[in-house]
Amino acid sequence: MFRKRTFTLLKLNRRTSFLTKYDLHIRKDDLQNTSFRNNLKNYITDHKYSLAAVKIYGNHDLEELEVSETFSETTFWRFALYRVKENVGNSHCLEETVKYLGTRSSTMFSRGYDAIERYLKTKGGLQNSQEDTAFRALKKFYVNKEEHENRLMMLKDLSSEEQVAAVISQHLICQLLPFPSSYFMDNIHTKGPTDKCPCGCGQPLNFGSTLLGSPHLFHGFVDGVLIPAENHSITEENYTKSAVFTARKKTDDIYYHCLVNKEWMDKYESTVYKLDEEILNREYKSEINVIDEKQLCKQAIAMSLCKYQEQSNKKDSSYAPAMPVFGMTSDSFEVAVYDPVHDYLLKSNKPLNFFEEDSQNLKFSSVVDLWLLIYHSLFFTTPSPRVVHQLRGTANLIPQLGEKRFEKIVKSSRWMFLPYFHHQSFPEIHEGVIKYVDRKEDASGYKH
């Protein structure tokens, strides 16, 4: 009898313990859901960044020269912020001031802001399976945010740009994909001595061909490609929805090199290049910035021209041809996007920080910014006719090239993407279990 009562008591204790753990698990999920939703609400209420219009200058005779240029070159083309002059003051005293045309991220991603607002109002209700997949990926990242932050802390100790690109790819941006393995980095310039993440987690890295652009304008290799597909299979059609990024290491040595380069430009620029003062000043700022803004702008143009070419072949007008790209360092990122229909180029007005000030905590707003960029096929938006009217032609690329040359460039634009996914290494085997088909036998039948 005593044993029976003891058994019953233990049974009740186990059940109580189970219910307590289950209740704690449910409570933790509720807290995470509430926190996630509150952060999303704060994002659409309080957060937006600015993008400024960029003007493109060619310092060459377009009638005679081939204008081909790789992303890393600076031979033919220069970029400067587009400026407008305004009269301010009253009728008695007017002053002329310079302003820069631009727009906000909430305008460029208004479909994304609308989707977040709909998600909050309907408690998870979305328009389609693609949106559902995207939000599940964002929430999964949020739940595991602390783990990703711990891995990203390794960035400050990495010694090369290849390592920075690998860790950012593996523990930040690819984690916002439905399938984190659906990315690949440039196998020609990025691949280092190992095919595993340098943070020490042991995860394999994915490499492939990231060639992009037209041989008749801007072309080259980007650092990485992200495929926000709903399944593991990656086809050429996925590339129209792919996201492209460039990663750089931020070090004092790079900054010092840029300052030395600026001094050289100060000494020789006036005799080598006949460009106006605005362009020269902008070039200096670009040289000091760790992210190569010229490279970023050229990649944005090349990416959108590829989408424009694909769209014209398929007669598909369901998506805007503009495709944003982003460049990253170990602690910040910048954004650029080109619209080939209306010929305007926009770039974020300043770097956007990954981390909260004086901490290793990721800024949720920056994570959502990257998420919107990765899922641009769902969330990127052509601005209103009023906004487009003001931005139209500010890049000044098409008039310089001419309509015929521009059409030729569009037709020759391609993304030569080809992932070489990491496969598990063959296991090491002992020689004793190998049957050697090349082993010879002597007359006695003995094998050598």
Side-chain angles (χ1 to χ4, degrees):
M1 192 70 175
F2 177 75
R3 290 181 181 174
K4 185 176 182 180
R5 286 179 182 173
T6 304
F7 173 77
T8 304
L9 181 61
L10 288 173
K11 188 175 182 181
L12 285 171
N13 284 341
R14 286 174 183 167
R15 179 174 177 81
T16 302
S17 177
F18 170 75
L19 288 173
T20 303
K21 289 180 180 178
Y22 180 76
D23 183 58
L24 288 173
H25 179 72
I26 294 297
R27 190 174 299 175
K28 183 179 178 181
D29 282 351
D30 287 342
L31 288 172
Q32 284 180 336
N33 287 335
T34 301
S35 178
F36 179 64
R37 293 170 62 82
N38 286 340
N39 276 287
L40 282 177
K41 184 178 180 180
N42 292 337
Y43 179 87
I44 60 173
T45 302
D46 302 329
H47 179 74
K48 51 184 70 71
Y49 58 87
S50 301
L51 296 110
V54 176
K55 191 172 183 179
I56 306 169
Y57 296 81
N59 63 333
H60 47 75
D61 187 347
L62 286 169
E63 295 297 326
E64 298 179 5
L65 292 176
E66 180 71 27
V67 296
S68 174
E69 185 169 297
T70 65
F71 298 142
S72 57
E73 288 180 312
T74 313
T75 307
F76 294 130
W77 301 97
R78 297 290 185 273
F79 299 85
L81 291 179
Y82 185 87
R83 303 194 302 178
V84 292
K85 294 182 179 179
E86 283 189 346
N87 291 324
V88 296
N90 54 45
S91 57
H92 302 289
C93 182
L94 290 176
E95 292 184 2
E96 197 175 66
T97 183
V98 172
K99 290 194 173 182
Y100 300 98
L101 282 184
T103 187
R104 298 182 181 91
S105 57
S106 55
T107 298
M108 304 306 293
F109 291 97
S110 64
R111 284 198 296 164
Y113 277 67
D114 290 344
I116 293 173
E117 192 167 358
R118 189 167 57 251
Y119 177 88
L120 294 173
K121 283 183 177 180
T122 61
K123 296 185 178 179
L126 296 165
Q127 284 188 328
N128 51 51
S129 62
Q130 290 90 351
E131 283 190 359
D132 181 65
T133 299
F135 274 87
R136 280 191 285 109
L138 178 61
K139 186 175 180 181
K140 180 188 68 176
F141 184 95
Y142 183 80
V143 169
N144 298 307
K145 180 170 168 284
E146 188 175 338
E147 178 185 340
H148 301 315
E149 288 170 342
N150 291 336
R151 291 296 176 183
L152 291 170
M153 287 180 65
M154 306 287 182
L155 285 169
K156 64 180 182 299
D157 300 321
L158 300 179
S159 59
S160 70
E161 289 188 355
E162 292 79 11
Q163 291 177 327
V164 169
V167 172
I168 287 178
S169 301
Q170 185 68 32
H171 294 292
L172 180 56
I173 49 180
C174 89
Q175 297 299 328
L176 291 165
L177 297 172
F179 298 95
S181 61
S182 297
Y183 80 95
F184 50 95
M185 296 186 295
D186 172 27
N187 69 317
I188 294 179
H189 303 100
T190 308
K191 191 168 184 180
T194 178
D195 59 356
K196 293 188 178 179
C197 182
C199 82
C201 67
Q203 290 296 313
L205 302 172
N206 296 331
F207 296 94
S209 171
T210 63
L211 185 60
L212 169 70
S214 166
H216 304 297
L217 188 62
F218 303 133
H219 57 95
F221 295 89
V222 294
D223 283 351
V225 178
L226 304 162
I227 313 292
E230 290 186 84
N231 52 54
H232 277 296
S233 61
I234 295 179
T235 65
E236 194 169 335
E237 290 183 359
N238 294 136
Y239 300 149
T240 62
K241 301 178 181 180
S242 61
V244 162
F245 67 91
T246 296
R248 291 287 178 267
K249 181 173 172 58
K250 191 171 184 177
T251 67
D252 293 338
D253 288 342
I254 293 176
Y255 183 76
Y256 175 75
H257 172 76
C258 292
L259 288 179
V260 170
N261 189 50
K262 175 186 179 303
E263 291 176 0
W264 184 90
M265 295 281 282
D266 283 338
K267 186 175 180 180
Y268 295 103
E269 188 85 47
S270 59
T271 57
V272 176
Y273 300 111
K274 303 298 182 182
L275 302 175
D276 63 40
E277 183 180 356
E278 173 197 356
I279 305 174
L280 297 183
N281 288 338
R282 184 62 187 159
E283 284 296 309
Y284 294 158
K285 185 176 179 181
S286 296
E287 292 295 340
I288 294 173
N289 198 310
V290 176
I291 287 296
D292 189 333
E293 294 171 313
K294 300 179 292 297
Q295 184 181 73
L296 189 67
C297 288
K298 287 190 281 187
Q299 289 176 353
I301 293 168
M303 191 71 172
S304 290
L305 291 183
C306 288
K307 177 67 176 287
Y308 194 28
Q309 190 270 343
E310 288 278 328
Q311 200 166 285
S312 60
N313 281 351
K314 298 177 181 179
K315 308 298 181 183
D316 179 13
S317 58
S318 59
Y319 296 111
M323 296 181 74
V325 303
F326 49 100
M328 301 178 293
T329 68
S330 56
D331 60 8
S332 65
F333 66 100
E334 296 190 44
V335 183
V337 59
Y338 176 70
D339 187 323
V341 176
H342 305 107
D343 193 26
Y344 63 81
L345 172 64
L346 299 171
K347 195 195 76 66
S348 50
N349 67 320
K350 62 182 180 180
L352 302 163
N353 293 327
F354 284 137
F355 301 99
E356 301 286 355
E357 190 173 354
D358 299 325
S359 110
Q360 287 296 323
N361 296 326
L362 283 169
K363 294 177 72 173
F364 184 74
S365 59
S366 294
V367 172
V368 180
D369 288 337
L370 291 171
W371 177 73
L372 291 172
L373 289 163
I374 290 170
Y375 295 91
H376 59 80
S377 62
L378 289 175
F379 301 133
F380 189 78
T381 314
T382 299
S384 68
R386 180 182 64 82
V387 174
V388 168
H389 176 73
Q390 294 185 66
L391 292 173
R392 187 192 305 273
T394 51
N396 196 42
L397 178 63
I398 298 176
Q400 292 183 84
L401 294 170
E403 290 287 347
K404 289 185 177 179
R405 191 192 290 249
F406 181 73
E407 289 177 8
K408 176 184 176 182
I409 290 168
V410 171
K411 289 179 180 178
S412 63
S413 294
R414 296 286 187 277
W415 32 51
M416 306 294 286
F417 297 159
L418 183 61
Y420 305 125
F421 286 117
H422 176 88
H423 297 284
Q424 187 173 0
S425 301
F426 292 112
E428 292 184 7
I429 57 175
H430 191 271
E431 287 191 35
V433 299
I434 301 176
K435 181 179 180 180
Y436 291 99
V437 295
D438 56 349
R439 185 171 290 182
K440 296 180 180 180
E441 297 184 12
D442 59 20
S444 64
Y446 181 76
K447 295 180 180 179
H448 298 278

